[in-house]
Amino acid sequence: MILVFGKTGQVATELQRQGTVTALGRDQADLSDPQACAAIIAGLKPSVVINAAAYTAVDKAEEEEALAQIINAASPGAMAGACTHLDIPFLHVSTDYVFDGTGTQAWQETDPVSPQNAYGRTKLAGEQAVRSTGARHIILRTAWVFSAHGANFVKTMLRLSETRDALRVVEDQIGGPTSAADIAATLLALADHMQDGAKGGTYHYAGTPHTNWAGFARAIFDEAGCDVTVTGIPSSDYPTPATRPLNSRLDCAKLAADFGIKPTDWKAGLAAVLKDLGA
């Protein structure tokens, strides 16, 4: 049995669509109670655990860092510890926000980490907690997740297009938009590899090619047939409580080398999501 923490989030929804998994929502697994999460694993004794749940409200985390720390760090650590006792693999989704967002080179797994906001700090603490248990694990860092489910950039742009014919969108933040469906497929493939004895470790997975938010918005409107003019602006013109990284590029070569899993073109994922939404 593949046990998934998370049920309604973007990646968790796709895991349920693509694989035979047991997914736990908030009513079944309280992520603010680490020991309860560990107890669930001990009781169900799955063959592999995937943690697709997290505190992801980046701006709100600036005010609720203590809660985000429990959900994003303490609970994954407890889950990984329970997996260690059962000698089963643990797969955990992380983020490019563990880096400081400087430079123009794609981040490699071995690059120094230096998160610039509360969300990034709690996700980094989660990575460290998972590693410290000694569990057989994979930490999969990704970025700019989108799907037909939950709250994400694609759905926000489509909603705004209903009442606006012009938008100002940040263009100095660069990254790889990543389909939640592709992340789910990658996690399920990695779960198979881990059950076959793969060593694991930390890996990057994000869509290709790199773009900026304004470019992504234009692609969304072009694909959806929306007549919306997008003007690119600097991040300084759109201040947010949490600092966003300017460089969210992730180097995915290690994942391809170790498992043969290569980044997919986000435009194909976008087309699939828009079809799913009927846009």
Side-chain angles (χ1 to χ4, degrees):
M1 175 182 59
I2 298 176
L3 180 64
V4 174
F5 283 86
K7 193 166 189 175
T8 59
Q10 297 188 80
V11 174
T13 298
E14 288 295 338
L15 284 167
Q16 293 167 82
R17 295 177 87 179
Q18 296 182 35
T20 302
V21 304
T22 298
L24 304 178
R26 293 186 185 90
D27 57 332
Q28 298 161 295
D30 182 359
L31 273 291
S32 66
D33 186 343
Q35 294 312 309
C37 295
I40 290 170
I41 296 171
L44 292 178
K45 294 181 172 56
S47 56
V48 60
V49 175
I50 300 175
N51 180 32
Y55 184 113
T56 56
V58 175
D59 288 325
K60 197 174 181 182
E62 295 297 309
E63 300 176 358
E64 295 187 348
E65 186 165 357
L67 176 60
Q69 178 76 11
I70 295 171
I71 294 172
N72 289 346
S75 285
M79 294 175 197
C83 290
T84 303
H85 290 302
L86 292 174
D87 191 26
I88 59 172
F90 179 67
L91 282 72
H92 177 67
V93 180
S94 193
T95 173
D96 67 283
Y97 277 52
V98 299
F99 299 110
D100 66 11
T102 59
T104 58
Q105 295 299 309
W107 296 103
Q108 296 183 339
E109 290 83 353
T110 53
D111 285 332
V113 289
S114 181
Q116 298 297 298
N117 57 40
Y119 170 71
R121 288 191 294 271
T122 63
K123 291 297 287 184
L124 175 58
E127 291 188 6
Q128 294 166 338
V130 170
R131 294 188 192 105
S132 71
T133 65
R136 287 201 298 125
H137 71 272
I138 283 181
I139 292 168
L140 189 70
R141 294 176 181 149
T142 189
W144 293 24
V145 183
F146 69 91
S147 70
H149 330 288
N152 59 74
F153 186 77
V154 172
K155 293 179 72 175
T156 297
M157 290 299 103
L158 292 175
R159 176 173 51 80
L160 291 174
S161 74
E162 295 174 358
T163 56
R164 309 272 288 277
D165 58 11
L167 289 170
R168 288 157 48 88
V169 182
V170 169
E171 67 175 357
D172 58 354
Q173 297 174 20
I174 313 295
T178 315
S179 162
D182 292 339
I183 298 171
T186 297
L187 287 168
L188 291 170
L190 291 173
D192 286 342
H193 283 295
M194 290 296 281
Q195 290 182 89
D196 288 340
K199 183 179 177 182
T202 301
Y203 292 90
H204 290 172
Y205 181 81
T208 189
H210 296 133
T211 186
N212 58 48
W213 288 115
F216 190 22
R218 294 186 187 104
I220 294 166
F221 297 138
D222 287 347
E223 184 70 28
C226 300
D227 187 13
V228 179
T229 300
V230 175
T231 301
I233 62 171
S235 297
S236 56
D237 284 3
Y238 189 72
T240 55
T243 300
R244 261 62 172 184
L246 297 181
N247 178 20
S248 289
R249 302 170 181 88
L250 293 177
D251 185 326
C252 305
K254 181 184 174 186
L255 189 69
D258 287 2
F259 298 107
I261 299 172
K262 299 178 180 179
T264 52
D265 189 326
W266 57 261
K267 290 183 179 178
L270 174 61
V273 165
L274 292 177
K275 183 178 180 182
D276 213 1
L277 290 169

